[in-house]
Each structure stands twice: as structure tokens, then as C-alpha cells.
Amino acid sequence: MSSISGLVEDEISSFFESSPPLKNKEEIVANLNQFIELNSSCQGGMRRIVCVTSGGTTVPLEQRCVRYIDNFSSGNRGAASTENFVKAGYAVIFLYRRGTCQPYCRYLPDDPFLECFEFPDAKNIQVHGSHSGAVKMAVMDQQAAVAEGRLLKLPFSTIYEYLQMLRLIATILKDVGPCSMFYLAAAVSDFYVPWLSMTEHKIESGSGPLDIRLAQVPKMLSILRSNWAPKAFCISFKLETDSKILLEKATKALQKYKVHAVVANELLTRKEEVVVVSSSGNVVVRRDSNKPESIVEDNLIRLLVDRHSTYIKESLT
Amino acid sequence: MSSISGLVEDEISSFFESSPPLKNKEEIVANLNQFIELNSSCQGGMRRIVCVTSGGTTVPLEQRCVRYIDNFSSGNRGAASTENFVKAGYAVIFLYRRGTCQPYCRYLPDDPFLECFEFPDAKNIQVHGSHSGAVKMAVMDQQAAVAEGRLLKLPFSTIYEYLQMLRLIATILKDVGPCSMFYLAAAVSDFYVPWLSMTEHKIESGSGPLDIRLAQVPKMLSILRSNWAPKAFCISFKLETDSKILLEKATKALQKYKVHAVVANELLTRKEEVVVVSSSGNVVVRRDSNKPESIVEDNLIRLLVDRHSTYIKESLT
């Protein structure tokens, strides 16, 4: 693999140097190490480990943050994919935006404490019949995945937290080699206000319009591939609202960042179909429309797990 | 009351004219009318009705929205205040940002379905002892408030939804007169991208920095006071990160918008104390630090309910 340019590397270093440091870094590292150790000593050898990123990152506009730029993402894709990876035998590091959709919780109503439960007396809680499947899944399946060491949940909010955590995970996963995967479904900010050039206090709304100049976030995918975890199987996502430019941009991303596949999806149809763009060609993956409970992630994860198996075999020979 | 200037009125009209229309307007109007009717025909006459706004509004940067500017607000203040208003005998219209803190749910952990419950067998759900008080409150107290017609929850996300819903509520509450209150705790965007000048598709992250010009959101408080609901008791909020300018800005807002009080709070100390700024002087309201479970909203709502009582009496004479 060709090394990335010195310019990009400088940009990335200066991004990290100027970032506010992670608050609970030691705890995250300890949890990650424990999780990887547990999954390295399974019966039958190493379990495959995937890092699923999910939800949007925020970009603060003020150091004492009142306003920020956010990227739309419900986190549904990441949550559903996590469930499918666990089902396929993977251990999942779920790096998610606080407050977004959680694995096994996709069928809960918006306001679960108002709608799902009742107390027939002050001692006993009951689940309303119509929500019993959703609540069981959210409680039993989720707790089982965590208890069995198959799911580690790590929350972020800002672009600074996200990228520092991704770097931590990637460098800790380095030794797992080809058995590790990155499934980068998070909606990562393209633009940000560099921390040091940011105003400390709330921007005043005195009079007239407000002009904001945003810098480009350095693209970390290249360095993830070349330095952080070069042997991991790496899937990135490309979301566009304009179908005309989607495949072209996905193909460019594939070449530029040298990931193993780019999942291209359009905002309006993203729950019906995606296109997996890779060096072996484009594959359209659709939801199974004959089954109402089917989701596009069922077929997408099946395809990617197959590709990952091939990748592992090829790495060993 | 002096009428607001024609210029401001023009700005406000053009804001609403260019806003994407509310999707479920008929349903909201029907719910509001039913709620107000129910609370107008209580034993002992009209129940007081307060509209509590809570959480931050978003400003889309693209029409098919991928990126937006958000205002930080957990919604904790609005949720806690709602509980206190219900306790004080009010009916509450809770106009809240989707996903923010809900009344009666403030003591739930971040990840309630992972932490609060267990299924000892596949049929029966139990609440873990340590969370039983929090879950009971979230389920029983919340459901009781809704069932008794004391709490109507209406969610928003964008500044367009928020301001259209606020206008609806205010005009429907107009007939309730002095018995109605507005408690405007939401963090409302000061700046926005006018819908018609907004790009349809996702902004491309080609190369170089991105410049955004944001226009000022017209201040709706004046028109709420002068036209929408001139007889309602009206409380607004002022949040700053810089304590030096806080009281000055709160006093200016009091004079400019002719509200009955401005609750001034600083980002870092907002859970410990606030200052109620009104024409009768400034009152510092603190959390009762001798009681660990006490919150600043206990004393704040007590003070405002007293002020509202006086206001109603004076309106009748």
C-alpha cells in the first residue's frame, strides 16, 4: 500500500493535537482491552470483531458549546447491522452517537415509558401485549449480547470524540489483523471549526447576519487503512441526496481511500436498497420485499460477511 | 401595549410564508382544542394552562436535510418544570424537541432498557431494585398526568416546526386569557438559512473551506405578546456562558419584548441558581442545598405560580 502524503499526515496530526482530549480515555481503553481479550480466547479460537460506527458527529461552534452543526443520522442502519453481525457470530464494538437508535431497540415506540408499560398495582410492572416482542428484544436480546461479551457500546457526541475513539479502537484492533472489520456507517462531519480558532463564549445575536467559515475535516480513512489497522477489512459508506452523483462519488472514495467496499446509499431509498461498490464490481442489495419484517441490512451483512471470509482466507495463504 | 413595528411584522410574515408547512397541523389543532376544552370545564372552573417549551430547535442547512445547526439543550429544565407545574395544579402543553428529556423521566439511566429491567423467565418482566423509583415515576406518574388531561406532549425538531406550533398554541390559548402562561425554556435558534435560499442537495465537500451566511431569525416574542396571546402571563429565558453580560441582556430582553419576567441563567451554574428579572426587581432563586433531591425548578415554579396568581387577580379587577 502506498503511504499517504505528508501533507495529509500533517493535517491529521494537527487535528488531533488541537482536539480537546477524551475525558474517559483510560476507561475506554480498559473496556476495549477486556473485550478483545475475551473474544480472542473463545472456544474454537479468535472470534471475528467488527467496529460498527453509527449516528452523526457534531461540530461545536463555541468552546462552551451552546450551538453546533450536526449531521442527520437516526442510527438505524448501525443498530440493525450490529444485530446482524452478532447473529453472524461477530463481536461488535458499537461506536454510536449518544441518543441515537440502539441495537435491539428498533421496534420500541418513540415514547416507550408512556406507551409500553403499566403498573396494575404499585408493585408489579407489566408490558402491554402489543409491545411485548419489542420490549423483550430490547431487554433480553440486548442484555444477552452484552453479557456474552458480544457487544460493547461506546458513545460519542463531537467529531473530536469520534475520531479519537476510532483511532483508539483501530490501534487496539491492529493485532487482530484480518479477523477485524470496520463498518463505518456513522455520518461524519466534513466541515468543522478548528478548536483553537473557536470563540469561547456564545456567539452574540446582536444584529445582522452571521458568517461562519468552516474548515475541512481531514479524511482519516486513508490513515486508518495505511497506519492504524492496515490488515482490517474496511467498509465505508457514501450517502448522497442526488442519485446522479452517488455511484461516481462512491467509486472515487473506493479508489482514494483503498477501502474494501463502499456502501452507496441515497437518502430517500436507503431503507430499500444500497449498492456495494468494490473492485470486483457493483452489487445492488435490496430488502426482501416479500417479507414485511425484512430489512436491507439482512442481505447487506450476509454479503459482507461472505466477503470478509474470503478476505481472511486470502490473507492466510 | 404599543404595537410592534411594521418592519418586524413583515419579517415575521415572510418567515412563516417561506417555511415548509407543518405536516400534521390538523391533528395538533384537534389535540389542542380537546385539551383546552377538557381543562376549561373542570370542577371549580377553568384550570390554569401553561405552555412549557423545551429543548433546542434545529436549523437545516440543506432542504433534503443531512446537515443542520443545533442548539444545545438537554430539556432537563423544561421536563422538571413541567412536573412542578402539574403538581401546582396546572395543565401543561409540553412543546419539546424530539429525543430530549421527558417529564417524569429525569431519573432514568442513559440506557434504560439495558439497565433497568430483567426477564427472570421469558414471560415476566421485573424492574431492578435500584431503578424501581425511577421507572415507577416514568410510567405511573407520567401516564397519570396524561390520562387526567394534565399533560399534552407535542414534539418538534426544526425552528420552522417550533415557531408554527408556538403560534398555533398561542392563538388557540388566546381565549384562556390571563389564566394561560408561556414558559419559554426552549433554546431557540437565533440564526437560520432562509428556506428558499437553501441548497436542495447535500453540500459537497469538494475542497477548501465552506462559508455559510446565516440570517437572523425574526424575534417572535414581541408578536406573541402583542398579537398572538396578549393576555397570557409570559416568561422567557436568557442563557449565556459569560456571567458578565447575562443580567444586562436579560434586562434588555424584559424591556424589549415586554414579557412579565426573564429567567436569566448561566450555562455552568444553571442547575444551582437562576435570576428572575422583572419590573419589580431581580430575585435570585437557588436550589435548596440542604436537600440533595431538591432542584432549582422547585423554587422557581413556586415563585412564578405566585406571580401568576397576582397577575390573574389584577387582571380581574
Side-chain angles (χ1 to χ4, degrees):
Chain A
M1 176 158 313
S2 65
S3 84
I4 56 171
S5 79
L7 192 66
V8 173
E9 216 156 338
D10 286 353
E11 266 180 33
I12 291 174
S13 313
S14 89
F15 178 90
F16 281 117
E17 273 161 29
S18 70
S19 294
L22 267 186
K23 273 178 194 146
N24 48 348
K25 187 174 166 183
E26 283 70 31
E27 192 191 330
I28 297 172
V29 170
N31 287 342
L32 278 168
N33 281 328
Q34 194 190 8
F35 188 77
I36 290 168
E37 199 180 333
L38 187 76
N39 285 294
S40 303
S41 54
C42 297
Q43 260 195 326
M46 182 77 211
R47 195 179 268 153
R48 295 186 195 173
I49 300 178
V50 59
C51 171
V52 173
T53 70
S54 186
T57 60
T58 67
V59 164
L61 295 178
E62 299 141 335
Q63 287 192 2
R64 304 196 190 181
C65 183
V66 174
R67 299 189 185 88
Y68 53 90
I69 297 182
D70 204 344
N71 273 41
F72 166 77
S73 173
S74 65
N76 209 292
R77 171 94 72 213
S81 303
T82 293
E83 295 164 31
N84 275 294
F85 276 119
V86 170
K87 220 185 286 174
Y90 282 67
V92 182
I93 299 166
F94 183 63
L95 181 61
Y96 71 98
R97 164 71 180 279
R98 272 188 196 84
T100 55
C101 188
Q102 294 297 295
Y104 307 103
C105 296
R106 293 176 295 120
Y107 300 110
L108 291 173
D110 283 347
D111 210 340
F113 285 86
L114 195 56
E115 295 176 40
C116 293
F117 303 104
E118 60 182 338
F119 277 88
D121 53 70
K123 274 208 153 175
N124 293 295
I125 190 170
Q126 275 181 5
V127 182
H128 286 160
S130 54
H131 294 298
S132 85
V135 170
K136 259 185 211 166
M137 187 171 163
V139 175
M140 294 178 85
D141 295 359
Q142 188 180 193
Q143 289 180 355
V146 172
E148 291 163 13
R150 305 284 293 277
L151 175 58
L152 176 66
K153 306 211 291 185
L154 298 174
F156 65 83
S157 293
T158 67
I159 180 83
Y160 303 108
E161 290 169 348
Y162 172 80
L163 287 174
Q164 289 180 80
M165 289 168 87
L166 184 64
R167 182 175 60 170
L168 263 185
I169 295 167
T171 44
I172 290 178
L173 275 180
K174 196 170 189 174
D175 293 338
V176 178
C179 284
S180 64
M181 188 199 290
F182 285 84
Y183 180 88
L184 304 167
V188 182
S189 318
D190 296 307
F191 301 102
Y192 80 121
V193 183
W195 189 257
L196 296 176
S197 72
M198 202 183 292
T199 170
E200 181 187 353
H201 287 295
K202 189 177 169 189
I203 297 164
E204 288 213 36
S205 62
S207 58
L210 174 69
D211 291 305
I212 303 177
R213 166 156 286 200
L214 299 165
Q216 285 223 306
V217 174
K219 300 289 184 188
M220 302 285 171
L221 257 177
S222 328
I223 204 167
L224 171 76
R225 288 287 298 126
S226 62
N227 295 20
W228 295 349
K231 289 184 177 163
F233 191 62
C234 192
I235 310 298
S236 72
F237 281 72
K238 183 57 88 182
L239 172 75
E240 293 293 335
T241 60
D242 186 352
S243 59
K244 291 194 291 290
I245 60 171
L246 175 61
L247 288 182
E248 186 196 328
K249 294 195 79 173
T251 308
K252 269 193 191 154
L254 182 78
Q255 290 156 356
K256 185 167 178 192
Y257 304 117
K258 300 189 173 64
V259 292
H260 299 96
V262 176
V263 180
N265 56 143
E266 209 200 313
L267 190 64
L268 289 176
T269 60
R270 69 194 190 283
K271 296 195 170 180
E272 294 300 317
E273 70 167 51
V274 299
V275 181
V276 176
V277 175
S278 72
S279 59
S280 62
N282 298 353
V283 179
V284 180
V285 178
R286 289 201 183 82
R287 193 175 79 76
D288 189 344
S289 56
N290 294 324
K291 298 184 194 158
E293 75 284 7
S294 149
I295 52 176
V296 68
E297 289 80 8
D298 295 337
N299 292 328
L300 174 62
I301 304 306
R302 198 170 297 133
L303 175 74
L304 294 177
V305 167
D306 275 354
R307 295 269 177 101
H308 190 200
S309 301
T310 309
Y311 175 78
I312 294 171
K313 264 183 228 148
E314 287 173 358
S315 305
L316 294 174
T317 55
Chain B
M1 175 158 314
S2 65
S3 85
I4 56 171
S5 78
L7 192 66
V8 173
E9 217 156 338
D10 286 354
E11 266 180 35
I12 291 174
S13 312
S14 89
F15 178 90
F16 281 117
E17 273 161 29
S18 70
S19 293
L22 267 186
K23 273 178 196 147
N24 48 348
K25 188 174 166 183
E26 283 70 31
E27 192 191 331
I28 297 172
V29 169
N31 288 342
L32 278 168
N33 281 328
Q34 194 190 8
F35 188 76
I36 291 168
E37 199 180 334
L38 187 76
N39 284 294
S40 302
S41 54
C42 297
Q43 260 195 327
M46 182 77 211
R47 196 179 268 153
R48 295 186 195 173
I49 300 179
V50 59
C51 172
V52 173
T53 70
S54 186
T57 60
T58 67
V59 165
L61 295 177
E62 299 141 335
Q63 287 193 1
R64 303 196 191 183
C65 183
V66 174
R67 299 190 186 87
Y68 53 90
I69 297 183
D70 205 344
N71 273 41
F72 166 77
S73 174
S74 66
N76 210 292
R77 171 93 73 213
S81 303
T82 293
E83 295 164 30
N84 275 294
F85 276 119
V86 170
K87 219 185 285 173
Y90 282 67
V92 182
I93 299 165
F94 182 62
L95 181 61
Y96 71 98
R97 165 70 180 280
R98 273 188 195 84
T100 55
C101 188
Q102 294 297 295
Y104 307 104
C105 296
R106 293 176 295 120
Y107 300 110
L108 291 173
D110 282 347
D111 211 341
F113 285 86
L114 195 56
E115 294 176 42
C116 292
F117 303 104
E118 60 182 338
F119 277 87
D121 54 70
K123 274 209 154 175
N124 294 296
I125 190 169
Q126 276 181 6
V127 182
H128 287 159
S130 54
H131 294 297
S132 84
V135 170
K136 259 185 213 167
M137 188 172 163
V139 176
M140 294 177 84
D141 295 359
Q142 188 180 193
Q143 289 180 355
V146 171
E148 290 164 12
R150 304 285 292 278
L151 175 58
L152 176 66
K153 306 212 290 185
L154 298 175
F156 65 83
S157 293
T158 67
I159 180 83
Y160 303 107
E161 290 168 348
Y162 172 79
L163 287 174
Q164 289 181 78
M165 289 168 87
L166 184 64
R167 182 175 60 170
L168 264 185
I169 294 167
T171 44
I172 291 178
L173 275 180
K174 196 170 189 174
D175 293 338
V176 178
C179 284
S180 64
M181 189 198 290
F182 284 84
Y183 180 88
L184 304 167
V188 182
S189 318
D190 296 307
F191 301 102
Y192 79 121
V193 183
W195 189 257
L196 296 176
S197 72
M198 201 183 292
T199 170
E200 181 187 353
H201 287 295
K202 190 177 169 189
I203 297 164
E204 288 214 37
S205 62
S207 58
L210 173 69
D211 292 305
I212 303 177
R213 165 156 285 201
L214 299 165
Q216 286 223 306
V217 175
K219 301 290 184 188
M220 302 285 171
L221 257 177
S222 327
I223 204 167
L224 171 75
R225 288 286 299 125
S226 63
N227 295 19
W228 295 350
K231 290 184 177 163
F233 190 62
C234 192
I235 310 297
S236 72
F237 280 72
K238 182 57 86 182
L239 172 75
E240 293 293 336
T241 61
D242 186 352
S243 59
K244 291 195 291 290
I245 60 171
L246 175 61
L247 288 182
E248 186 195 328
K249 294 195 78 172
T251 308
K252 268 193 191 153
L254 183 78
Q255 290 157 355
K256 185 166 178 194
Y257 304 118
K258 300 189 173 64
V259 292
H260 299 96
V262 176
V263 180
N265 55 142
E266 209 200 313
L267 190 64
L268 289 175
T269 60
R270 68 193 191 283
K271 296 194 171 180
E272 294 301 318
E273 70 167 52
V274 298
V275 182
V276 176
V277 175
S278 72
S279 58
S280 62
N282 299 353
V283 179
V284 180
V285 178
R286 289 201 183 82
R287 193 174 78 77
D288 188 344
S289 56
N290 294 323
K291 298 184 193 156
E293 76 284 6
S294 148
I295 53 176
V296 69
E297 289 79 8
D298 295 337
N299 292 327
L300 174 62
I301 303 306
R302 199 170 296 132
L303 176 73
L304 294 177
V305 167
D306 275 353
R307 296 269 178 102
H308 191 200
S309 301
T310 308
Y311 175 78
I312 294 172
K313 263 183 230 149
E314 286 172 358
S315 305
L316 293 174
T317 55

